[in-house]
């Protein structure tokens, strides 16, 4: 797995009419191992120290999902590493949007680093993202956030350009510069104060060969995202929240054992504890906190299907244990229902299922001494 450059390749600047004019020629940029994507690492001003054990929230998105980072930064209040997938026709608009968000929202400026990935063959309009160019007058911050939320396009909806989610996860993770990481999607939120809870628990108390599972939930659109487990419990009782992928892929998360998790009694909900171990079974793909040394994501997986399952499968074969935290959780805004998926989802899932079958066979050679399989 290639370790992407951590050097400061450029500094985000506000001046000038074309943000792209401040960038190095693409021919000089590092690429992924296939040569199909250019990669840039951008380190903005940050006040937090990274020379001690620390945990980063790691995420990825296309420009139309950047608005989600505002709430992520407010919730997490710690290092955030973001990989953004940008096509050629969206370049200037996306760069300006990143700058605007950093200038408008102090926690993003303090905590977030942005790492951008570009398809090397993206030479024609791909569609799916619009934003007013050349805005030297600058929008008011509230208007900026409001307008960003209405942008068109979805990560998986680019025309003829597959979304490289696992490459993006690797770029963001390897550029996080922290000993531990929590990898989640940009449209998910952790419980309030999770970063502080983890630091209080102590990263030195966590096993290098264990990943720590955060039960995942989905929430109806018009509900306020719960901040604590008790608030989440009330929403579940009112059927305003439910386990993640409960309708579309229940086996992907049911092994977390939600009933057991809700039955746990913690005398101090502000504290975080490893609670119980669960075992990997077919299709399990939990969100988890781990050492930054766990196996990377398989970058062959793109678009929808098996991209996270494949990495969790490798963790299992490699001998990692899965332990559930008692008070931690993540929430997706909106129920996962069939009508909300893009039209090519089933075809992508079928293609990636074949790739996953190949990968499972490869793991037997990669870990010849392991008695574990993903069958």
């Amino acid at each position: 797995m290639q370790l992407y450059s951590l050097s400061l390749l450029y500094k985000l600047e506000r001046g000038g009419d074309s943000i792209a004019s401040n960038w190095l020629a693409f021919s000089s940029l590092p690429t992924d191992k296939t040569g199909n994507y250019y990669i840039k690492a951008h380190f903005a001003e940050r006040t937090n120290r990274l020379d001690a054990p620390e945990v980063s929230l790691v995420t990825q998105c296309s420009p139309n999902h950047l608005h989600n980072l505002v709430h992520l930064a407010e919730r997490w209040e710690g290092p955030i590493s973001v990989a953004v997938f940008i096509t050629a026709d969206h370049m200037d608009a996306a760069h300006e949007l990143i700058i605007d968000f950093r200038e408008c929202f102090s926690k993003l400026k303090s905590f977030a680093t942005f790492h951008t990935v570009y398809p090397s063959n993206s030479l024609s309009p791909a569609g799916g993202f619009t934003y007013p160019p050349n805005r030297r007058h600058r929008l008011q911050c509230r208007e900026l956030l409001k307008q960003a939320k209405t942008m068109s396009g979805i990560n998986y909806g680019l025309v003829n350009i597959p979304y490289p989610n696992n490459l993006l996860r690797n770029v963001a993770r390897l550029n996080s510069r922290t000993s531990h990481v929590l990898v989640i999607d940009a449209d998910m939120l952790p419980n309030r104060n999770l970063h502080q809870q983890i630091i209080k628990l102590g990263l030195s108390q966590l096993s290098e060969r264990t990943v720590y599972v955060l039960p995942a939930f989905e929430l109806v659109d018009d509900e306020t995202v719960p901040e604590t487990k008790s608030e989440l419990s009330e929403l579940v009782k009112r059927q305003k929240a439910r386990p993640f992928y409960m309708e579309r892929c229940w086996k992907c998360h049911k092994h977390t054992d939600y009933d057991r998790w809700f039955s746990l009694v913690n005398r101090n909900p502000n504290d975080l504890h490893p609670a119980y171990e669960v075992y990997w079974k077919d299709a399990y793909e939990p969100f988890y906190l781990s050492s930054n040394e766990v196996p990377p994501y398989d970058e062959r997986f793109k678009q929808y299907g098996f991209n996270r399952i494949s990495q969790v499968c490798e963790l299992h074969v490699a001998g990692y244990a899965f332990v559930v935290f008692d008070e931690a959780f993540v929430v997706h805004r909106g129920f996962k229902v069939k009508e909300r998926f893009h039209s090519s989802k089933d075809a992508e899932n079928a293609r990636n299922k074949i790739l996953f079958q190949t990968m499972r066979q490869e793991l037997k050679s990669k870990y010849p001494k392991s008695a574990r399989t993903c069958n």
Side-chain angles (χ1 to χ4, degrees), residues 99-342:
I99 292 172
D100 283 349
F101 270 109
R102 291 185 66 252
E103 292 302 310
C104 275
F105 302 101
S106 60
K107 289 186 179 178
L108 267 184
K109 189 170 185 177
S110 296
F111 295 124
T113 61
F114 293 85
H115 320 289
T116 46
V117 176
Y118 313 83
S120 58
N121 62 350
S122 174
L123 301 177
S124 60
F129 172 75
T130 57
Y131 192 67
N134 212 16
R135 293 155 9 279
R136 293 300 95 197
H137 55 281
R138 299 281 163 183
L139 296 172
Q140 294 293 325
C141 291
R142 288 185 179 179
E143 289 300 313
L144 170 69
L145 186 58
K146 180 179 179 181
Q147 184 166 335
K149 289 181 178 179
T150 65
M151 289 177 183
S152 61
I154 58 175
N155 289 352
Y156 300 108
L158 296 172
V159 179
N160 298 321
I161 302 178
Y163 184 72
N165 35 39
N166 276 358
L167 169 63
L168 295 169
R169 290 181 176 115
N170 284 341
V171 169
R173 212 187 92 184
L174 291 172
N175 283 303
S176 66
R177 300 190 297 166
T178 58
S179 62
H180 289 72
V181 290
L182 168 61
V183 183
I184 63 174
D185 296 334
D187 57 358
M188 304 195 79
L189 286 171
N191 58 283
R192 177 74 68 178
N193 298 323
L194 177 59
H195 177 254
Q196 294 91 326
Q197 287 176 314
I198 294 170
I199 297 303
K200 182 179 179 181
L201 170 64
L203 293 170
S204 63
Q205 303 300 310
L206 304 180
S207 169
E208 292 291 309
R209 300 292 296 177
T210 298
V211 300
Y212 295 88
V213 174
L214 285 70
F217 296 84
E218 52 192 41
L219 182 73
V220 295
D221 291 312
D222 58 350
E223 282 291 336
T224 301
V225 178
E227 297 190 354
T228 65
K229 183 176 179 178
S230 60
E231 291 179 7
L232 173 63
S233 178
E234 288 301 313
L235 289 172
V236 170
K237 290 175 182 177
R238 293 167 44 210
Q239 298 184 335
K240 298 294 185 179
R242 65 185 185 183
F244 193 58
Y245 268 153
M246 186 172 183
E247 180 178 323
R248 303 305 302 162
C249 186
W250 179 223
K251 67 180 180 179
C252 293
H253 289 271
K254 70 175 184 178
H255 307 305
T256 297
D257 195 344
Y258 288 87
D259 289 340
R260 182 175 182 181
W261 185 73
F262 276 118
S263 72
L264 296 174
V265 177
N266 188 342
R267 294 182 179 180
N268 187 352
N270 293 320
D271 290 342
L272 188 65
H273 306 96
Y276 57 90
E277 184 174 357
V278 295
Y279 297 94
W280 191 93
K281 295 181 181 179
D282 183 38
Y284 191 37
E285 55 170 10
F287 297 98
Y288 60 83
L289 168 73
S290 74
S291 161
N292 209 351
E293 300 299 318
V294 298
Y297 293 83
D298 189 324
E299 296 174 7
R300 293 175 295 179
F301 290 88
K302 301 174 185 178
Q303 289 293 107
Y304 185 87
F306 293 90
N307 47 81
R308 287 193 305 106
I309 291 175
S310 61
Q311 197 261 355
V312 176
C313 162
E314 181 168 355
L315 290 176
H316 167 67
V317 174
Y320 284 82
F322 298 80
V323 172
V324 181
F325 273 141
D326 59 353
E327 292 292 324
F329 61 87
V330 291
V331 177
H332 177 272
R333 288 169 288 191
F335 276 5
K336 288 283 190 178
V337 295
K338 182 178 181 179
E339 294 73 23
R340 288 193 167 186
F341 285 97
H342 56 294

Side-chain angles (χ1 to χ4, degrees), residues 338-356:
K338 182 178 181 179
E339 294 73 23
R340 288 193 167 186
F341 285 97
H342 56 294
S343 59
S344 58
K345 174 249 186 186
D346 289 340
E348 294 162 8
N349 193 70
R351 287 195 298 269
N352 280 344
K353 184 176 182 179
I354 296 173
L355 175 57
F356 181 60

Side-chain angles (χ1 to χ4, degrees), residues 5-12 24 40-45:
S5 173
L6 298 184
S7 62
L8 178 56
L9 297 179
Y10 90 117
K11 182 177 180 180
L12 288 170
L24 297 174
K40 258 183 176 288
H42 316 309
F43 295 135
E45 299 87 350

